[in-house]
Amino acid sequence: MSFTCRVKFSWPILRNIPHQQNIRSIATICKRSRKNLHSDYHGDKLSAVPCIAQFSTSLHLSQQETKQNIFELFDFQMKWPSEEEDAIKRDMIIIPDFVSGAEEERLCSETDKSMKRMRYEYDHWDDAIHGYREMEKIDWLPENEDVFQRLRNKAFHGETLPHVHILDLAGDGIIKPHVDSSRFCGSTISGISLLTDCIMRLKRTNEEKYKQGKLDDQPNQTLQNTTTNHQCQPAEYEYFVDVLLKRRSLYIMKDVARYKFTHEVLPTKSLFKGQEIVKDRRVSIICRNQP
Ligand code: OGA
Ligand code: MN
C-alpha cells in the first residue's frame, strides 16, 4: 500500500527511535485509525506531551520503505553516544534522487547564467570555503521555482528565507568545518547537490561556541560571508559521521545536526567506507529558514 502521510508531532516521546521508525510507527497509527491520512495528525498522546522541538514532515512511505537502507549513506566514526547517533539519524535526512537529470540541467543552466561573470575565490585560506563562487538569488524561472517549492514542502514547516543560496564549488574546492551563523539562519538548512557526489562530514562541536553573542557577533561581516562561521576551537569531541551526498540528492540538516555539529565538504578522492569518492565541480542550491 502506498500513501502520503503528513504528520506533525513532538520529539520527546519518540526521541530514541530512529527517524524512519518514527515515521513508520506514526503511519501505522494513521493506517489503523483509517482517517485523516492526508491531513495533520494530532493524536492525544502526541499533543499531550510538552514539546521541545516540533516539526512537520511529509514522506512518501512506499518510496521511503522500498529504498534499501538510507543509513548506508552514513559512516559513523569513533565512539558515538547512542542518543547522539539516533539524533543524527533523525536530524540529518538524505533523500536520494530528489531532482531528475532534466531538473539538474535546468537548475545548472540558470545558475551558470546568473554567475557567469563571477570568478572562483581562492584568496583567503582562512575563509570557511575555498575555491568557490556564490550568490543569493530570488527570481528563478518557474520550472526551477517548482523544484524549490517541492523542497520547501519536504524540508520546512513555515517560513523560509526568500532567497536561495547557490554555492558553486570548483573541483579542487572544499568547505571547511563550520556551523552556519544563527544570526542569519534558523534551525534547518536544506540543500540539493548537483553535478557530482561528495562527502559531507559532521563533527561534534561545542554548540556554546556558536551561540549568538559569541563568535556570531563579529564586526564587519556581510551577509555573504556570515552565512558561515568556521572559527572552530580545538576539537573536544572525537566522533564524526561521513555522509555520502550523491549527485541530485537532497539533504535536510536540522536541530542537533545543524547546531551541535560542524559540517564540511571533503576534498576530492576522500574515502567513504574505504572507497575513493571523486568530487568534481559541485553546485549546491541551499534553502534556509528564518532565524
Ligand atoms: C554553506 C555550506 C553546504 C553545501 O554554504 O555554509 O555549508 O551543501 N554549504 O554546499
Ligand atoms: Mn554551512
Side-chain angles (χ1 to χ4, degrees):
M1 182 187 168
S2 135
F3 62 85
T4 301
C5 170
R6 195 172 173 78
V7 290
K8 188 175 181 192
F9 55 94
S10 47
W11 280 118
I13 52 159
L14 305 160
R15 188 184 289 137
N16 293 318
I17 312 172
H19 182 70
Q20 278 169 306
Q21 261 171 276
N22 282 338
I23 298 295
R24 230 169 266 153
S25 56
I26 291 192
T28 311
I29 299 167
C30 291
K31 263 191 226 171
R32 281 205 202 109
S33 71
R34 289 187 189 284
K35 58 183 179 183
N36 294 333
L37 285 187
H38 294 274
S39 59
D40 282 354
Y41 174 76
H42 298 280
D44 287 337
K45 273 192 191 152
L46 298 177
S47 53
V49 176
C51 173
I52 48 164
Q54 201 174 54
F55 82 106
S56 149
T57 187
S58 169
L59 291 177
H60 196 271
L61 292 180
S62 62
Q63 188 199 20
Q64 189 74 4
E65 284 171 343
T66 53
K67 288 270 176 256
Q68 327 75 11
N69 184 359
I70 282 306
F71 301 130
E72 279 173 8
L73 301 172
F74 290 68
D75 188 10
F76 287 89
Q77 301 274 342
M78 314 297 278
K79 183 97 194 82
W80 277 71
S82 65
E83 63 283 1
E84 295 235 348
E85 187 174 327
D86 290 345
I88 284 294
K89 288 175 170 172
R90 181 192 71 204
D91 290 350
M92 182 72 183
I93 299 163
I94 307 296
I95 302 176
D97 298 312
F98 183 72
V99 294
S100 66
E103 286 171 329
E104 176 184 51
E105 243 178 78
R106 287 198 290 266
L107 286 163
C108 286
S109 140
E110 187 168 6
T111 59
D112 282 354
K113 268 190 208 122
S114 301
M115 293 199 291
K116 67 173 181 285
R117 275 184 246 289
M118 298 173 72
R119 287 183 312 144
Y120 290 90
E121 310 264 344
Y122 286 91
D123 304 347
H124 308 290
W125 185 248
D126 276 354
D127 285 352
I129 312 185
H130 192 68
Y132 71 104
R133 48 188 193 168
E134 67 179 343
M135 69 177 292
E136 287 166 342
K137 186 170 160 67
I138 293 200
D139 294 321
W140 291 84
L141 293 171
E143 58 267 34
N144 289 333
E145 192 51 56
D146 287 350
V147 174
F148 302 136
Q149 203 44 54
R150 203 164 78 223
L151 184 161
R152 289 186 194 109
N153 292 342
K154 187 67 89 179
F156 295 95
H157 178 52
E159 289 268 298
T160 51
L161 295 173
H163 52 260
V164 172
H165 177 196
I166 310 165
L167 179 64
D168 180 346
L169 196 62
D172 59 356
I174 58 164
I175 304 181
K176 298 200 269 183
H178 68 278
V179 173
D180 283 22
S181 166
S182 54
R183 212 178 325 160
F184 297 106
C185 167
S187 61
T188 305
I189 300 162
S190 183
I192 305 172
S193 303
L194 301 175
L195 302 180
T196 185
D197 296 347
C198 73
I199 303 167
M200 182 177 271
R201 177 169 292 175
L202 302 186
K203 192 162 198 306
R204 183 66 156 82
T205 186
N206 177 357
E207 67 269 31
E208 287 300 312
K209 288 195 307 222
Y210 293 103
K211 286 235 170 97
Q212 280 187 10
K214 299 206 173 162
L215 292 181
D216 270 3
D217 265 352
Q218 285 168 7
N220 302 328
Q221 290 184 323
T222 64
L223 177 58
Q224 286 288 7
N225 62 22
T226 47
T227 50
T228 58
N229 187 340
H230 64 288
Q231 304 191 8
C232 305
Q233 286 154 20
E236 292 145 43
Y237 300 89
E238 290 288 293
Y239 51 95
F240 62 91
V241 59
D242 285 342
V243 183
L244 184 59
L245 295 183
K246 295 271 217 173
R247 178 176 183 176
R248 298 199 284 267
S249 66
L250 176 77
Y251 66 82
I252 304 168
M253 182 197 305
K254 60 190 185 63
D255 302 332
V256 169
R258 182 255 185 274
Y259 292 113
K260 293 196 173 181
F261 289 77
T262 58
H263 53 277
E264 64 193 289
V265 168
L266 302 187
T268 188
K269 298 194 176 162
S270 297
L271 298 182
F272 181 80
K273 298 187 179 176
Q275 195 196 329
E276 203 174 87
I277 304 297
V278 174
K279 178 193 85 63
D280 291 322
R281 175 186 167 215
R282 170 175 185 266
V283 171
S284 54
I285 305 195
I286 306 158
C287 290
R288 295 176 169 88
N289 58 357
Q290 307 276 359

